[in-house]
Amino acid sequence: MSDSRLAEAAHSSFARHETFAPRFGWLHKAYMQVKERPDTFLADDAPVLLGVGKNMANSMRYWSRAFKLTREFYGDDGNSRAMFSYPTWEARWLLDEDGADPYLEEHGSLWLLHWWLLCSRPGAKSWAPSWYVAFQLAPFARFTASDLTQLIVRHVNLSYAEAPVGASIAKDVDCITKMYVPAKRAKGGAPGAFEDLLACPFRELGLMEAVDHPAAGRSEWEFTTGSRISLPDRVVAYACLDYAARTTHGAGSISLARLANEHGAPGRAFRVREPDVAAALERVAATTPGLQVVEAVGQRSLAFTSDPFELAWDVLDAQYDNVRKRPDFPTREEWALAYPKLAEAEAREFKLQDAVEQQLTLIEETQ
Protein backbone atom coordinates (compact mmCIF):
# COMPACT_ATOMS: atom_id res chain seq x y z
CA MET A 1 0.00 0.00 0.00
CA SER A 2 1.15 3.54 -0.73
CA ASP A 3 2.55 5.35 2.30
CA SER A 4 1.15 8.66 1.06
CA ARG A 5 -2.49 9.65 0.85
CA LEU A 6 -1.83 13.13 -0.45
CA ALA A 7 -4.49 12.74 -3.14
CA GLU A 8 -7.13 12.23 -0.45
CA ALA A 9 -6.25 15.60 1.09
CA ALA A 10 -5.35 17.76 -1.91
CA HIS A 11 -6.12 18.21 -5.58
CA SER A 12 -3.30 17.90 -8.08
CA SER A 13 -2.62 21.61 -8.53
CA PHE A 14 0.89 22.98 -8.96
CA ALA A 15 2.46 26.35 -9.82
CA ARG A 16 -0.93 27.99 -10.41
CA HIS A 17 0.23 31.02 -8.42
CA GLU A 18 2.38 32.27 -11.31
CA THR A 19 5.31 32.52 -8.81
CA PHE A 20 3.50 35.21 -6.76
CA ALA A 21 2.81 34.75 -3.05
CA PRO A 22 -0.52 36.27 -1.94
CA ARG A 23 -0.22 40.02 -1.41
CA PHE A 24 -1.90 42.58 0.80
CA GLY A 25 -5.32 43.51 -0.55
CA TRP A 26 -5.56 40.79 -3.17
CA LEU A 27 -8.17 38.61 -1.50
CA HIS A 28 -10.52 41.45 -0.61
CA LYS A 29 -10.24 42.94 -4.08
CA ALA A 30 -10.89 39.58 -5.75
CA TYR A 31 -13.88 38.86 -3.53
CA MET A 32 -15.50 42.23 -4.19
CA GLN A 33 -15.19 41.66 -7.93
CA VAL A 34 -16.41 38.05 -8.18
CA LYS A 35 -19.32 38.81 -5.87
CA GLU A 36 -20.72 40.96 -8.69
CA ARG A 37 -19.10 39.24 -11.68
CA PRO A 38 -18.25 35.53 -11.38
CA ASP A 39 -16.55 35.80 -14.78
CA THR A 40 -14.12 38.45 -13.54
CA PHE A 41 -10.97 36.35 -13.95
CA LEU A 42 -11.98 35.35 -17.48
CA ALA A 43 -12.78 38.84 -18.68
CA ASP A 44 -10.46 40.58 -21.14
CA ASP A 45 -10.35 43.56 -18.80
CA ALA A 46 -9.58 41.47 -15.69
CA PRO A 47 -6.21 43.20 -15.13
CA VAL A 48 -8.00 46.58 -15.25
CA LEU A 49 -10.77 45.45 -12.89
CA LEU A 50 -8.25 44.06 -10.42
CA GLY A 51 -5.58 46.70 -10.89
CA VAL A 52 -2.76 44.22 -11.54
CA GLY A 53 -0.94 42.60 -14.45
CA LYS A 54 -2.31 39.54 -16.25
CA ASN A 55 -0.09 37.05 -14.42
CA MET A 56 -1.00 38.59 -11.08
CA ALA A 57 -4.70 38.36 -11.98
CA ASN A 58 -4.20 34.63 -12.60
CA SER A 59 -2.43 34.40 -9.25
CA MET A 60 -5.31 36.16 -7.48
CA ARG A 61 -7.69 33.63 -8.99
CA TYR A 62 -5.58 30.76 -7.69
CA TRP A 63 -5.19 32.14 -4.18
CA SER A 64 -8.89 32.93 -3.87
CA ARG A 65 -9.66 29.32 -4.67
CA ALA A 66 -6.81 27.90 -2.59
CA PHE A 67 -7.98 29.76 0.52
CA LYS A 68 -11.50 28.39 -0.11
CA LEU A 69 -12.87 31.88 -0.74
CA THR A 70 -14.19 30.87 -4.17
CA ARG A 71 -15.40 27.73 -5.85
CA GLU A 72 -15.25 27.28 -9.61
CA PHE A 73 -17.94 25.93 -11.90
CA TYR A 74 -19.26 26.40 -15.41
CA GLY A 75 -21.22 29.55 -16.23
CA ASP A 76 -24.89 29.70 -17.22
CA ASP A 77 -24.08 29.12 -20.88
CA GLY A 78 -24.50 25.38 -21.28
CA ASN A 79 -22.07 25.32 -24.20
CA SER A 80 -19.27 27.05 -22.31
CA ARG A 81 -16.50 25.06 -20.61
CA ALA A 82 -15.05 28.15 -18.95
CA MET A 83 -14.90 27.99 -15.16
CA PHE A 84 -16.39 30.96 -13.34
CA SER A 85 -15.49 31.88 -9.75
CA TYR A 86 -18.25 32.05 -7.14
CA PRO A 87 -17.65 33.52 -3.67
CA THR A 88 -18.16 31.18 -0.74
CA TRP A 89 -20.10 32.04 2.39
CA GLU A 90 -16.76 32.02 4.25
CA ALA A 91 -15.53 34.77 1.93
CA ARG A 92 -18.68 36.77 2.66
CA TRP A 93 -18.16 36.29 6.38
CA LEU A 94 -14.52 37.38 6.31
CA LEU A 95 -14.02 39.81 3.43
CA ASP A 96 -17.20 41.79 2.82
CA GLU A 97 -17.18 45.41 3.93
CA ASP A 98 -19.27 44.44 6.96
CA GLY A 99 -17.41 41.15 7.40
CA ALA A 100 -15.05 39.98 10.10
CA ASP A 101 -11.83 41.48 8.76
CA PRO A 102 -12.03 42.56 5.10
CA TYR A 103 -8.54 44.06 4.99
CA LEU A 104 -6.90 41.30 7.06
CA GLU A 105 -5.70 43.65 9.75
CA GLU A 106 -5.81 40.98 12.46
CA HIS A 107 -3.12 38.32 12.72
CA GLY A 108 -5.84 35.87 13.65
CA SER A 109 -7.34 36.25 10.18
CA LEU A 110 -4.03 35.27 8.58
CA TRP A 111 -3.81 32.19 10.82
CA LEU A 112 -7.38 31.34 9.82
CA LEU A 113 -6.57 31.64 6.13
CA HIS A 114 -3.46 29.54 6.65
CA TRP A 115 -5.69 26.84 8.12
CA TRP A 116 -8.18 27.12 5.26
CA LEU A 117 -5.31 26.75 2.79
CA LEU A 118 -4.23 23.45 4.34
CA CYS A 119 -7.43 21.94 5.73
CA SER A 120 -9.24 19.26 3.82
CA ARG A 121 -12.57 17.49 3.95
CA PRO A 122 -14.66 15.62 1.36
CA GLY A 123 -16.01 18.19 -1.10
CA ALA A 124 -13.52 20.83 0.04
CA LYS A 125 -10.01 19.47 -0.33
CA SER A 126 -6.87 21.60 -0.35
CA TRP A 127 -5.81 23.19 -3.64
CA ALA A 128 -2.22 23.56 -2.38
CA PRO A 129 -0.65 20.07 -2.29
CA SER A 130 2.92 21.37 -2.00
CA TRP A 131 1.92 23.44 1.01
CA TYR A 132 0.14 20.44 2.49
CA VAL A 133 3.27 18.29 2.18
CA ALA A 134 5.48 21.02 3.64
CA PHE A 135 3.40 21.63 6.76
CA GLN A 136 1.60 18.35 7.28
CA LEU A 137 3.85 15.59 5.95
CA ALA A 138 7.45 16.85 6.13
CA PRO A 139 9.50 14.80 8.64
CA PHE A 140 12.14 17.49 9.01
CA ALA A 141 12.28 20.93 10.61
CA ARG A 142 15.23 22.29 8.61
CA PHE A 143 15.48 21.92 4.86
CA THR A 144 16.91 23.19 1.59
CA ALA A 145 14.83 23.86 -1.49
CA SER A 146 16.09 20.57 -2.89
CA ASP A 147 15.05 18.66 0.24
CA LEU A 148 11.49 19.92 0.13
CA THR A 149 11.21 19.55 -3.64
CA GLN A 150 12.30 15.91 -3.47
CA LEU A 151 9.86 15.19 -0.65
CA ILE A 152 6.94 16.68 -2.57
CA VAL A 153 7.93 14.80 -5.74
CA ARG A 154 7.95 11.56 -3.75
CA HIS A 155 4.46 12.12 -2.33
CA VAL A 156 3.14 13.24 -5.70
CA ASN A 157 4.46 10.14 -7.44
CA LEU A 158 2.87 7.93 -4.78
CA SER A 159 -0.45 9.73 -4.89
CA TYR A 160 -1.38 10.89 -8.38
CA ALA A 161 -1.71 8.98 -11.61
CA GLU A 162 -0.13 11.88 -13.48
CA ALA A 163 2.65 13.95 -11.93
CA PRO A 164 3.56 17.54 -12.84
CA VAL A 165 6.96 18.45 -14.21
CA GLY A 166 9.60 18.94 -11.55
CA ALA A 167 9.94 22.62 -12.41
CA SER A 168 6.36 23.25 -11.26
CA ILE A 169 7.04 21.74 -7.85
CA ALA A 170 10.27 23.74 -7.58
CA LYS A 171 8.25 26.91 -8.22
CA ASP A 172 5.89 25.92 -5.41
CA VAL A 173 8.81 25.47 -3.02
CA ASP A 174 10.19 28.88 -3.94
CA CYS A 175 6.76 30.41 -3.40
CA ILE A 176 6.40 28.73 0.01
CA THR A 177 9.59 30.31 1.28
CA LYS A 178 8.70 33.70 -0.21
CA MET A 179 5.29 33.48 1.44
CA TYR A 180 6.40 32.70 5.00
CA VAL A 181 10.02 33.79 5.50
CA PRO A 182 10.34 37.30 7.01
CA ALA A 183 11.80 39.77 4.52
CA LYS A 184 14.64 40.87 6.74
CA ARG A 185 16.06 37.35 6.72
CA ALA A 186 15.15 36.22 3.22
CA LYS A 187 17.88 34.49 1.27
CA GLY A 188 18.05 33.21 -2.26
CA GLY A 189 14.88 32.60 -4.20
CA ALA A 190 13.82 33.80 -7.60
CA PRO A 191 14.17 37.40 -8.77
CA GLY A 192 11.54 39.54 -7.10
CA ALA A 193 11.51 37.38 -3.96
CA PHE A 194 12.35 40.32 -1.69
CA GLU A 195 9.51 42.39 -3.16
CA ASP A 196 7.10 39.48 -2.68
CA LEU A 197 8.14 39.10 0.93
CA LEU A 198 7.58 42.77 1.64
CA ALA A 199 4.10 42.55 0.15
CA CYS A 200 3.00 39.18 1.60
CA PRO A 201 1.15 39.36 4.92
CA PHE A 202 1.78 35.73 5.85
CA ARG A 203 5.43 36.39 6.63
CA GLU A 204 4.16 38.08 9.82
CA LEU A 205 3.11 34.70 11.23
CA GLY A 206 6.71 33.70 11.85
CA LEU A 207 6.17 30.09 10.75
CA MET A 208 9.48 29.86 8.91
CA GLU A 209 12.84 31.54 8.94
CA ALA A 210 16.06 31.47 6.97
CA VAL A 211 19.04 29.71 8.51
CA ASP A 212 22.50 31.23 8.39
CA HIS A 213 24.78 28.78 6.65
CA PRO A 214 28.54 29.08 6.16
CA ALA A 215 28.53 27.45 2.73
CA ALA A 216 28.43 30.06 0.02
CA GLY A 217 25.34 29.92 -2.13
CA ARG A 218 23.58 27.41 0.11
CA SER A 219 20.16 28.52 1.40
CA GLU A 220 18.36 26.70 4.19
CA TRP A 221 15.11 27.35 5.99
CA GLU A 222 13.43 25.90 9.03
CA PHE A 223 9.99 25.75 10.57
CA THR A 224 9.88 27.66 13.81
CA THR A 225 8.45 26.24 17.03
CA GLY A 226 7.34 27.61 20.37
CA SER A 227 4.42 29.69 21.56
CA ARG A 228 2.50 31.56 18.87
CA ILE A 229 1.75 34.87 20.52
CA SER A 230 -0.23 36.15 17.55
CA LEU A 231 -2.35 32.97 17.22
CA PRO A 232 -5.70 33.54 18.98
CA ASP A 233 -7.02 30.76 21.21
CA ARG A 234 -10.36 30.79 19.43
CA VAL A 235 -8.73 30.28 16.05
CA VAL A 236 -6.96 27.22 17.49
CA ALA A 237 -10.25 25.96 18.92
CA TYR A 238 -12.05 26.61 15.63
CA ALA A 239 -9.42 24.65 13.69
CA CYS A 240 -9.55 21.76 16.17
CA LEU A 241 -13.35 21.52 15.97
CA ASP A 242 -13.24 21.96 12.19
CA TYR A 243 -10.79 19.06 12.03
CA ALA A 244 -13.00 16.91 14.26
CA ALA A 245 -15.96 17.69 11.99
CA ARG A 246 -14.35 15.73 9.13
CA THR A 247 -15.52 12.51 10.75
CA THR A 248 -17.96 13.50 13.50
CA HIS A 249 -21.28 15.28 13.05
CA GLY A 250 -22.69 15.14 16.56
CA ALA A 251 -21.51 15.02 20.16
CA GLY A 252 -18.15 13.34 20.61
CA SER A 253 -14.50 13.86 21.40
CA ILE A 254 -11.05 13.83 19.84
CA SER A 255 -7.72 13.35 21.60
CA LEU A 256 -5.35 16.26 21.98
CA ALA A 257 -2.54 14.04 20.72
CA ARG A 258 -4.37 13.66 17.41
CA LEU A 259 -5.08 17.39 17.21
CA ALA A 260 -1.42 18.18 17.77
CA ASN A 261 0.36 15.46 15.81
CA GLU A 262 -1.86 13.81 13.21
CA HIS A 263 -1.25 14.56 9.54
CA GLY A 264 -3.79 17.18 8.51
CA ALA A 265 -4.38 18.40 12.06
CA PRO A 266 -4.08 21.96 13.42
CA GLY A 267 -0.98 21.24 15.50
CA ARG A 268 1.07 20.47 12.41
CA ALA A 269 -0.49 23.28 10.38
CA PHE A 270 0.29 25.88 13.05
CA ARG A 271 3.49 24.15 14.17
CA VAL A 272 2.42 24.12 17.82
CA ARG A 273 2.93 21.34 20.35
CA GLU A 274 0.29 19.48 22.35
CA PRO A 275 0.72 21.55 25.57
CA ASP A 276 0.09 24.76 23.60
CA VAL A 277 -2.98 23.24 21.92
CA ALA A 278 -4.24 22.10 25.32
CA ALA A 279 -3.71 25.50 26.93
CA ALA A 280 -5.59 27.30 24.15
CA LEU A 281 -8.49 24.84 24.25
CA GLU A 282 -8.78 25.05 28.03
CA ARG A 283 -9.02 28.84 27.91
CA VAL A 284 -11.72 28.72 25.22
CA ALA A 285 -13.64 25.91 26.94
CA ALA A 286 -13.80 27.96 30.13
CA THR A 287 -16.14 30.44 28.39
CA THR A 288 -17.80 28.21 25.77
CA PRO A 289 -20.81 26.04 26.67
CA GLY A 290 -20.63 22.59 25.14
CA LEU A 291 -16.84 22.47 25.00
CA GLN A 292 -14.56 20.81 27.54
CA VAL A 293 -11.06 19.40 27.88
CA VAL A 294 -11.34 16.06 29.68
CA GLU A 295 -8.91 13.36 30.80
CA ALA A 296 -9.49 9.62 30.88
CA VAL A 297 -7.08 6.69 31.08
CA GLY A 298 -4.15 9.08 30.93
CA GLN A 299 -5.28 10.70 27.69
CA ARG A 300 -6.58 14.23 27.32
CA SER A 301 -9.33 14.94 24.82
CA LEU A 302 -11.48 17.78 23.53
CA ALA A 303 -15.12 16.88 24.18
CA PHE A 304 -18.07 18.61 22.51
CA THR A 305 -21.80 18.18 23.12
CA SER A 306 -23.05 19.14 19.65
CA ASP A 307 -22.03 19.19 15.98
CA PRO A 308 -18.34 20.28 16.03
CA PHE A 309 -18.72 22.16 12.74
CA GLU A 310 -21.47 24.39 14.13
CA LEU A 311 -19.66 24.79 17.43
CA ALA A 312 -16.48 25.73 15.56
CA TRP A 313 -18.28 28.63 13.90
CA ASP A 314 -19.80 29.76 17.20
CA VAL A 315 -16.29 29.93 18.63
CA LEU A 316 -14.83 31.71 15.60
CA ASP A 317 -17.69 34.18 15.32
CA ALA A 318 -17.20 35.16 18.97
CA GLN A 319 -13.59 36.08 18.12
CA TYR A 320 -14.94 38.69 15.68
CA ASP A 321 -17.80 40.17 17.72
CA ASN A 322 -20.48 37.89 16.29
CA VAL A 323 -20.42 38.82 12.61
CA ARG A 324 -23.36 36.54 11.86
CA LYS A 325 -25.63 38.61 14.10
CA ARG A 326 -25.03 41.84 12.19
CA PRO A 327 -28.00 43.36 10.31
CA ASP A 328 -28.78 41.69 6.97
CA PHE A 329 -25.95 39.20 7.29
CA PRO A 330 -26.94 36.17 5.15
CA THR A 331 -27.18 32.64 6.47
CA ARG A 332 -25.41 29.85 4.62
CA GLU A 333 -28.74 28.86 3.14
CA GLU A 334 -29.46 32.37 1.89
CA TRP A 335 -25.99 32.63 0.37
CA ALA A 336 -26.44 29.27 -1.34
CA LEU A 337 -29.68 30.53 -2.91
CA ALA A 338 -27.88 33.64 -4.19
CA TYR A 339 -25.06 31.51 -5.68
CA PRO A 340 -26.53 28.11 -6.64
CA LYS A 341 -23.39 27.24 -8.59
CA LEU A 342 -21.59 26.72 -5.26
CA ALA A 343 -23.58 23.55 -4.64
CA GLU A 344 -22.85 22.33 -8.17
CA ALA A 345 -19.14 23.02 -7.64
CA GLU A 346 -19.18 21.01 -4.41
CA ALA A 347 -20.96 18.13 -6.13
CA ARG A 348 -18.30 18.20 -8.85
CA GLU A 349 -15.58 17.93 -6.20
CA PHE A 350 -17.24 14.83 -4.77
CA LYS A 351 -17.21 13.27 -8.24
CA LEU A 352 -13.54 14.14 -8.61
CA GLN A 353 -12.89 12.51 -5.25
CA ASP A 354 -14.53 9.28 -6.44
CA ALA A 355 -12.20 9.29 -9.45
CA VAL A 356 -9.21 9.88 -7.16
CA GLU A 357 -10.17 6.91 -5.01
CA GLN A 358 -10.19 4.71 -8.10
CA GLN A 359 -6.77 6.04 -9.13
CA LEU A 360 -5.36 5.39 -5.64
CA THR A 361 -6.59 1.83 -5.77
CA LEU A 362 -4.87 1.28 -9.12
CA ILE A 363 -1.64 2.87 -7.88
CA GLU A 364 -1.61 0.68 -4.76
CA GLU A 365 -2.28 -2.47 -6.78
CA THR A 366 0.78 -1.81 -8.94
CA GLN A 367 3.14 -1.20 -6.03
Side-chain angles (χ1 to χ4, degrees), residues 237-313:
Y238 162 82
C240 289
L241 288 163
D242 186 48
Y243 185 69
R246 297 182 318 143
T247 55
T248 305
H249 304 291
S253 65
I254 184 170
S255 73
L256 299 192
R258 287 184 60 196
L259 291 171
N261 303 309
E262 201 165 69
H263 293 162
R268 295 182 70 88
F270 297 145
R271 293 282 161 164
V272 292
R273 298 188 175 95
E274 185 175 336
D276 296 307
V277 173
L281 292 176
E282 287 173 341
R283 289 190 289 266
V284 174
T287 59
T288 305
L291 197 62
Q292 187 177 8
V293 177
V294 299
E295 184 169 352
V297 198
Q299 176 176 272
R300 306 186 77 191
S301 298
L302 175 66
F304 35 90
T305 60
S306 59
D307 183 352
F309 183 81
E310 296 298 330
L311 188 54
W313 275 95

Side-chain angles (χ1 to χ4, degrees), residues 307-341:
D307 183 352
F309 183 81
E310 296 298 330
L311 188 54
W313 275 95
D314 290 341
V315 169
L316 185 62
D317 213 37
Q319 174 71 19
Y320 291 90
D321 299 323
N322 299 308
V323 174
R324 295 177 299 175
K325 295 181 180 179
R326 295 175 184 175
D328 300 321
F329 188 85
T331 63
R332 285 184 181 274
E333 293 74 18
E334 291 169 339
W335 195 252
L337 289 174
Y339 296 95
K341 294 289 186 179

